[in-house]
Amino acid sequence: ARFASSVSHELRSPLTTLVTGSELIARQRDQLPERLRSTVDHLVADVGRFQRLVEELLELSRTEAHVDEAILELVPLGDLVRNHGKRSGDSTLTVDIAPDLAHVPVLTDKRRVDRVLTNLVENARTHGGGAAVLSVGMADERVHIYVDDAGRGVPDAERERIFERFYRGPSAGRRGSSSGTGLGLALVVEHVRVLGGEVRVEDAPSGGARFVVELPRGAA
């Protein structure tokens, strides 16, 4: 974790230069010869992916090294999920919160929960045809957050492996995209672990994939 943190930190300065330079070139794209435009597009995309990779490596190393501790507070989970859906700006995303669960208080770190939702929605957008439904449930004093996508689901053989870092399975071409870093779901696992919960993937009622985040309620 210390090694990843040190390397990622050292990469930040040259990466900032690359990002600034690629953005400057991109602003001049229309003035470039046609044969160079696709090269510029690839450059901007790869630099953006590289930047996300470094930031996610830093986030992962901080979490593993317990540098970034959870800040617990009592929050209404339904409102937290609903507000995330509104901020996403995705008109195809449905937020379905039952009235009796809308204001159930949960002792958790809302920044981490929001990060988990961000990664799961982004994963659905990149690999599963977009996030279709965000919802919550509760059983045995544990709260459940559901993120259903519009894809074809995740094969049984991959349901554990997709949470591994940098995993590229046989379905990567079908569900995946080169824009991903391979760390989004691994970060979900780490954040959920810090919160004392678990995450898994199963079949959604709509036929796509359903990512289930189970968290302790932590409050009466």
Side-chain angles (χ1 to χ4, degrees):
R2 287 195 299 269
F3 173 76
S5 179
S6 297
V7 170
S8 300
H9 181 76
E10 290 300 320
L11 285 173
R12 271 184 159 176
S13 180
L15 180 56
T16 299
T17 302
L18 284 173
V19 170
T20 302
S22 64
E23 289 176 348
L24 179 62
I25 295 172
R27 287 197 292 269
Q28 307 299 320
R29 180 184 182 280
D30 292 342
Q31 301 177 30
L32 297 173
E34 183 66 34
R35 61 186 178 82
L36 293 179
R37 292 179 187 176
S38 62
T39 301
V40 169
D41 293 340
H42 286 302
L43 172 65
V44 172
D46 282 348
V47 169
R49 180 175 178 273
F50 186 28
Q51 183 179 35
R52 290 193 300 276
L53 177 62
V54 170
E55 293 300 328
E56 290 182 351
L57 279 171
L58 279 171
E59 184 180 347
L60 194 59
S61 63
R62 286 196 303 267
T63 303
E64 288 185 329
H66 306 289
V67 172
D68 194 7
E69 297 293 343
I71 301 174
L72 301 179
E73 57 184 308
L74 207 57
V75 296
L77 185 66
D79 289 346
L80 184 61
V81 172
R82 183 182 292 108
N83 291 336
H84 181 89
K86 290 178 180 177
R87 289 197 309 274
S88 73
D90 187 345
S91 60
T92 65
L93 179 63
T94 298
V95 180
D96 183 15
I97 310 293
D100 60 327
L101 297 177
H103 305 293
V104 171
V106 178
L107 188 65
T108 193
D109 184 330
K110 61 183 181 181
R111 179 186 63 84
R112 286 185 185 273
V113 172
D114 194 67
R115 182 63 167 137
V116 165
L117 288 171
T118 296
N119 282 19
L120 290 179
V121 170
E122 178 61 28
N123 179 75
R125 184 181 298 118
T126 304
H127 303 298
V133 181
L134 276 180
S135 57
V136 300
M138 189 168 67
D140 301 323
E141 290 305 308
R142 290 176 76 81
V143 294
H144 296 178
I145 303 174
Y146 306 114
V147 181
D148 297 356
D149 70 29
R152 291 188 251 175
V154 179
D156 290 345
E158 293 184 56
R159 291 189 176 183
E160 291 187 13
R161 299 205 65 191
I162 60 172
F163 294 102
E164 297 174 4
R165 298 165 196 185
F166 305 113
Y167 174 64
R168 293 290 185 269
S171 67
R174 175 169 55 81
R175 284 180 53 87
S177 168
S178 61
S179 64
T181 64
L183 289 175
L185 292 181
L187 276 166
V188 167
V189 171
E190 288 301 317
H191 284 304
V192 171
R193 177 189 60 79
V194 170
L195 295 174
E198 299 175 350
V199 60
R200 64 181 182 275
V201 63
E202 56 190 38
D203 291 329
S206 61
R210 163 170 281 186
F211 284 82
V212 183
V213 178
E214 251 188 70
L215 297 173
R217 183 175 175 184

